[in-house]
Amino acid sequence: MTTTNGAPPDAADLRKRVADLVAAHDPATTEQTEFLAARFDAGLAWVHFPPGAGGLGAPRALQTVVDAEFERLGSVPTHRDGLSIGLGMAAPTIVAFGTEQQRRRFLKPLYTGEEVWCQLFSEPGAGSDLAAVGTRAVRDGDSWVVDGQKVWTSMAHRARWAILLARTDPDVPKHRGLTYFVCDMTAPGVDVRPLRQLTGEAEFNEVYLDGVRLPDSLRLGEVGAGWKVAQTTLMNERVSIGGRPEPREGGLVGVVSELWRTRPELRTRGLHEELLKLWVAAEAARLTKERLRQQMAVGQPGPEGSAAKLSFAELNQRISGLELELLGTEGLAYDDWTFRRPEGQDPLRRGAGFHYLRTRGNSIEGGTSEILRTIIAERVLGLPAEPRVDKNVAWKDLPR
Amino acid sequence: MSESEPNLLYSDIEQELRAGVRELLAARCPWQSVLGRVENDAAEVTDLALWRELAAMGVAGLPIAEELGGAGATWRESSMVAEELGRAVAPVPFLGSAVLAASALTAVDADEEVRSLVSDLAEGRRTATLAVPLSTAPGSAFPALVRAGDRTLTGTVPGVVDALNADVLVVPAVGADGPGLHLVAAEETVRTPVVSLDLTRPLTEVRLAGAPAVAVASGDRAVGAVESALVAGAALLSAEQLGVAEWALRTTVDHLKERTQFGRPLGSFQALKHRLADLWVSISQARAVVRNAAGAVASGSPDAPLAAALAQAFVSGVAVTAAEEAVQMHGGIGFTWEHPVHLYLKRAKSASIALGTADRHRGRIAELVDLPPAP
Ligand SMILES: Cc1cc2nc3c(=O)[nH]c(=O)nc-3n(C[C@H](O)[C@H](O)[C@H](O)COP(=O)(O)OP(=O)(O)OC[C@H]3O[C@@H](n4cnc5c(N)ncnc54)[C@H](O)[C@@H]3O)c2cc1C
């Protein structure tokens, strides 16, 4: 799949590959899954992935060239609901730690959207302190038997596969006794129960794992190396937010600005001030994202990625709060309390009350804002770490 | 790069220039010498010798065409230099001469006198400034503090930046036939130093009593020249504020790694760590906003007024917070005269009022993007 002389392809080469692909599969008439499968086979899914894994071993920066070229030639990626865990987190982890066989099995249907993924990390007793997970995986011949309870698992009800963090050795300190698996969500003993959220609907779930048998071929990385593998997932989770460039007033700030323009009777002086402050903050956050994109495009990614999630969360919360206040009487109403799955709905089109409630999750999901601040302070600014009381204590002896 | 967004990165040439400027400032303008200068007479605060050295590196004339003695670069490079001048709280007439005056003069029809002045400014042989109160925001009404008579000007302008040591004043004035822009030899005016909050950026009250003046623009041209100077000023001042904020964060982080209390380095306490992480996030955002403003002003984009207003509305607050947090987290040392942090606090707070407060700039944004106020 590489060029004839074996060197990784350059930008011109990639543009030609995109053009050839589009010529062979007209995006206007080809069914989406089929088109994506062809794109994967051509190595144009993630150009920096190795050949055979949806890539060409090209520099990561060239992905933007490929995306832009597809867009120019009429293949605009549509919103593919529910795939972000697979695309943003499972895929890079599988490429980094998976066997050849695992890459071949999982990456293509993950990319085309035929198989949805979820993340079985958090547990009732292990959220921010993720390395404390207690779900057990015990070896039994060629397979592992898994018992435990996971919680807040988005998409588990639609997922075919999950990335799973489980404890394989309780007698060593918490970070060292973990192993990372791919969990078959159709295996006997996997029980997914909807967990109703404060918005009324159920995006996420409780997942009970009761004697779930997983073949050793579903282990990702070495036994006991689960924390290292999980770090790759978590890093990609943070970076995957804030990837796509946005136009000015692209998100919630656009919704509120339009409301302000079209409903003069709602305007008050204090809210005007607040609106302008948030407009400025949103534009600053957007430009920061754009700057990050430009950095990636020239191959010098900066640490700004970790800032994006933090500021996005806070901003969305403030804007949605303003939206409700602006609506006054209408803000007292809620659009829909039905207990159901949110499938396929653009959250921006929901009501202001929903925006306000859902954005509370932005500062919790994918690592809380407090945890992100600690990461920035320690890894970016190089400030000394917090004293650790649990460092040399076997997991089984930790207070719970 | 997408075509609608300016390039928000620094070019290799800019980074080289930055290294050169930083080296010169480290050698010629350490904070101890800045502190020493502000304890002198008002007239000696501004370091004209340093300014000439910077000008010799091309710093004064970056956006000015080569045939006029400039470096033929753009406001983007100037903006990057402003960051370094902010980081060093350098007491040089950059804002008045290289930004406000130079920008106003390059927006008028250049006759011989203007051309020779512009090339002198670019090469650091003379300095000039725009005679408006430094708090004037872009988008304001044309300044009417000075009346134009028959080739003379009369009036008083308070709070003019970089005027005390300037050779020439570029004076907006209103006469019988409307707004105009005039050149006045500074020695023809009475200049009274103002005791300024920002010790490193002296302000002056300028009194003109029938001072002889040469008109260089009138009507819309004059109005446009003043406006474009204020827009460029706001954009470039935000870069300087970024430099101030970066200094404050870096210095505070270094201090908190060193200082121990309760048997731990202070930087290991989460109450402080999280505030510094927030500052770092705002500063990375400020950098994108500053680059955006510099790019818009450099290309003469119709977005420049919005980008400059955004920059002042956002970055000035970041710089003030960074400096205030720096004072707080330095504790008692930070409250002393001998520690440089107060110089930065004064620079940051003054700059947040200079060329319009954040509130003024948000008002301007409201006009520009059609988010009208409540009735
Ligand atoms: C909408 C949503 C979707 C989610 N989807 C998934 C999913 O698909 N898969 C999955 O595995 N998980 C998922 N989660 C779970 C999420 O990752 C955790 O909720 C999160 O990591 C926080 O853990 P916790 O809830 O146990 O809170 P806790 O860890 O108990 O934290 C409670 C509070 O204490 C603070 N805190 C904790 N530790 C520290 C510290 N060291 N210093 C300072 N403050 C601290 C936290 O910031 C928080 O404010 C989801 C959560 C939400 C809200």
Side-chain angles (χ1 to χ4, degrees):
Chain A
M1 277 262 186
T2 43
T3 47
T4 40
N5 61 5
D10 60 16
D13 193 12
L14 288 172
R15 278 195 201 94
K16 181 170 181 320
R17 286 169 192 252
V18 173
D20 290 349
L21 180 73
V22 169
H25 307 264
D26 181 356
T29 55
T30 313
E31 196 267 320
Q32 163 132 320
T33 309
E34 194 187 317
F35 185 84
L36 290 171
R39 185 170 162 176
F40 182 93
D41 291 338
L44 296 168
W46 307 278
V47 292
H48 57 289
F49 279 16
L56 295 163
R60 187 186 193 122
L62 293 181
Q63 185 66 38
T64 53
V65 173
V66 169
D67 292 345
E69 193 65 4
F70 271 116
E71 196 157 342
R72 198 177 70 80
L73 296 177
S75 163
V76 183
T78 52
H79 176 67
R80 288 186 295 148
D81 180 43
L83 300 188
S84 63
I85 293 174
L87 292 171
M89 295 148 70
T93 313
I94 291 167
V95 162
F97 291 94
T99 60
E100 192 49 48
Q101 200 193 355
Q102 287 168 335
R103 289 177 181 179
R104 253 202 318 274
R105 169 61 189 87
F106 295 124
L107 290 173
K108 190 168 170 183
L110 179 162
Y111 181 73
T112 60
E114 287 161 286
E115 289 180 351
V116 172
W117 285 65
C118 70
Q119 179 193 25
L120 292 173
F121 278 19
S122 302
E123 297 178 7
S128 300
D129 185 11
L130 182 61
V133 297
T135 290
R136 289 294 309 273
V138 177
R139 191 153 202 157
D140 180 20
D142 248 4
S143 52
W144 297 82
V145 179
V146 183
D147 286 281
Q149 183 196 346
K150 296 287 177 177
V151 73
W152 312 307
T153 315
S154 311
M155 285 302 179
H157 54 290
R158 282 179 53 197
R160 172 67 184 81
W161 300 103
I163 43 180
L164 165 72
L165 199 56
R167 183 151 311 274
T168 44
D169 186 353
D171 298 322
V172 294
K174 61 181 183 182
H175 290 96
R176 286 198 260 133
L178 297 167
T179 303
Y180 198 111
F181 296 93
V182 170
C183 179
D184 182 347
M185 293 297 285
T186 64
V190 177
D191 181 14
V192 176
R193 303 181 195 168
L195 193 50
R196 196 174 191 190
Q197 292 162 216
L198 46 59
T199 55
E201 59 181 28
E203 272 174 88
F204 59 31
N205 304 271
E206 298 178 287
V207 179
Y208 292 85
L209 303 159
D210 182 11
V212 178
R213 208 162 249 287
L214 301 176
D216 189 53
S217 61
L218 288 181
R219 174 166 51 81
L220 209 57
E222 300 302 311
V223 175
W227 185 246
K228 193 172 105 193
V229 184
Q231 287 300 103
T232 300
T233 310
L234 296 176
M235 220 168 58
N236 280 289
E237 178 169 19
R238 291 189 282 268
V239 175
S240 76
I241 302 173
R244 280 189 70 76
E246 256 183 17
R248 189 181 286 161
E249 291 192 13
L252 262 185
V253 75
V255 173
V256 181
S257 298
E258 214 31 49
L259 191 59
W260 186 271
R261 290 186 188 110
T262 52
R263 303 278 303 273
E265 77 281 7
L266 298 176
R267 295 175 195 157
T268 70
R269 229 175 290 172
L271 291 181
H272 188 238
E273 270 173 39
E274 182 65 5
L275 171 65
L276 291 174
K277 283 185 182 154
L278 291 174
W279 196 94
V280 165
E283 184 62 0
R286 184 185 74 83
L287 288 167
T288 309
K289 232 160 81 170
E290 172 63 19
R291 182 160 196 272
L292 181 67
R293 193 188 65 76
Q294 293 182 8
Q295 275 179 321
M296 306 251 275
V298 297
Q300 34 171 264
E304 279 88 348
S306 46
K309 180 186 183 286
L310 189 56
S311 29
F312 161 84
E314 184 174 323
L315 195 62
N316 270 350
Q317 294 177 344
R318 288 175 59 200
I319 295 171
S320 63
L322 172 71
E323 187 189 10
L324 263 185
E325 288 171 43
L326 182 59
L327 283 167
T329 307
E330 289 165 59
L332 293 171
Y334 192 72
D335 60 350
D336 185 4
W337 283 119
T338 314
F339 180 17
R340 61 179 162 117
R341 301 295 191 179
E343 256 95 83
Q345 191 174 22
D346 178 1
L348 280 186
R349 294 183 171 278
R350 289 282 310 258
F354 176 85
H355 293 158
Y356 175 76
L357 295 175
R358 180 60 185 86
T359 53
R360 298 308 107 187
N362 293 158
S363 53
I364 301 172
E365 59 196 337
T368 67
S369 294
E370 289 74 27
I371 295 298
L372 286 177
R373 286 189 177 95
T374 299
I375 291 176
I376 292 170
E378 293 181 5
R379 305 215 190 128
V380 180
L381 297 177
L383 288 164
E386 303 270 323
R388 302 289 286 267
V389 294
D390 57 359
K391 208 164 179 181
N392 295 312
V393 184
W395 175 80
K396 66 175 171 31
D397 298 328
L398 288 175
R400 254 182 287 279
Chain B
M1 313 288 133
S2 62
E3 280 165 41
S4 54
E5 303 288 348
N7 179 353
L8 303 178
L9 309 179
Y10 299 98
S11 69
D12 292 344
I13 295 173
E14 279 176 300
Q15 296 290 26
E16 262 170 55
L17 177 62
R18 184 200 292 282
V21 172
R22 199 181 279 194
E23 198 179 320
L24 177 66
L25 291 174
R28 285 281 287 100
C29 187
W31 66 264
Q32 293 88 343
S33 83
V34 177
L35 192 59
R37 296 194 82 87
V38 304
E39 289 167 337
N40 291 339
D41 270 357
E44 285 165 49
V45 171
T46 301
D47 191 343
L48 287 172
L50 173 61
W51 183 237
R52 278 189 289 272
E53 284 178 64
L54 284 162
M57 292 178 72
V59 160
L62 282 166
I64 292 171
E66 278 169 281
E67 61 270 23
L68 287 175
T74 72
W75 289 108
R76 282 174 54 85
E77 288 79 6
S78 283
S79 170
M80 194 278 302
V81 166
E83 291 178 25
E84 293 308 311
L85 295 173
R87 201 188 308 279
V89 279
V92 291
F94 177 78
L95 183 62
S97 195
V99 180
L100 294 173
S103 170
L105 291 173
T106 46
V108 303
D109 273 331
D111 62 13
E112 200 35 53
E113 177 145 7
V114 170
R115 292 171 74 88
S116 109
L117 176 56
V118 166
S119 70
D120 281 1
L121 298 185
E123 286 165 12
R125 278 193 297 271
R126 286 191 281 172
T127 71
T129 192
L130 185 68
V132 298
L134 184 56
S135 59
T136 311
S140 308
F142 189 80
L145 292 161
V146 179
R147 253 180 315 109
D150 182 21
R151 294 179 201 195
T152 60
L153 299 180
T154 302
T156 300
V157 189
V160 180
V161 71
D162 295 329
L164 200 55
N165 306 82
D167 301 291
V168 180
L169 303 178
V170 182
V171 188
V174 180
D177 48 354
L181 199 61
H182 309 257
L183 299 184
V184 174
E187 67 208 25
E188 302 284 352
T189 67
V190 180
R191 287 172 289 171
T192 315
V194 176
V195 179
S196 46
L197 172 64
D198 179 357
L199 292 155
T200 64
R201 177 172 276 153
L203 299 180
T204 306
E205 181 193 272
V206 175
R207 209 139 41 85
L208 304 109
V214 180
V216 293
S218 63
D220 288 347
R221 194 81 195 215
V223 173
V226 171
E227 178 63 9
S228 70
L230 294 173
V231 166
L236 275 278
L237 187 60
S238 75
E240 188 200 285
Q241 287 162 326
L242 172 62
V244 167
E246 285 180 343
W247 180 91
L249 174 63
R250 176 53 35 215
T251 304
T252 308
V253 165
D254 289 347
H255 178 66
L256 294 186
K257 282 186 193 168
E258 290 294 311
R259 178 153 174 94
T260 302
Q261 296 285 283
F262 302 98
R264 280 162 64 180
L266 283 174
S268 71
F269 286 93
Q270 200 179 71
L272 302 182
K273 269 182 174 166
H274 283 194
R275 282 158 66 179
L276 291 169
D278 282 339
L279 260 184
W280 178 80
V281 170
S282 326
I283 289 173
S284 11
Q285 297 187 322
R287 194 172 300 118
V289 167
V290 162
R291 288 272 88 188
N292 182 58
V297 169
S299 67
S301 149
D303 245 5
L306 178 62
L310 178 80
Q312 278 302 308
F314 187 81
V315 185
S316 63
V318 172
V320 170
T321 306
E324 289 175 350
E325 288 282 78
V327 170
Q328 176 65 20
M329 292 189 219
H330 275 81
I333 311 166
F335 201 71
T336 64
W337 187 263
E338 283 76 19
H339 193 283
V341 66
H342 66 97
L343 297 173
Y344 289 82
L345 177 69
K346 292 160 189 169
R347 176 66 76 94
K349 191 65 192 177
S350 302
S352 77
I353 297 159
L355 301 171
T357 59
D359 182 50
R360 287 294 302 262
H361 288 284
R362 287 192 293 268
R364 179 103 167 109
I365 290 170
E367 290 165 23
L368 293 168
V369 304
D370 183 30
L371 294 170

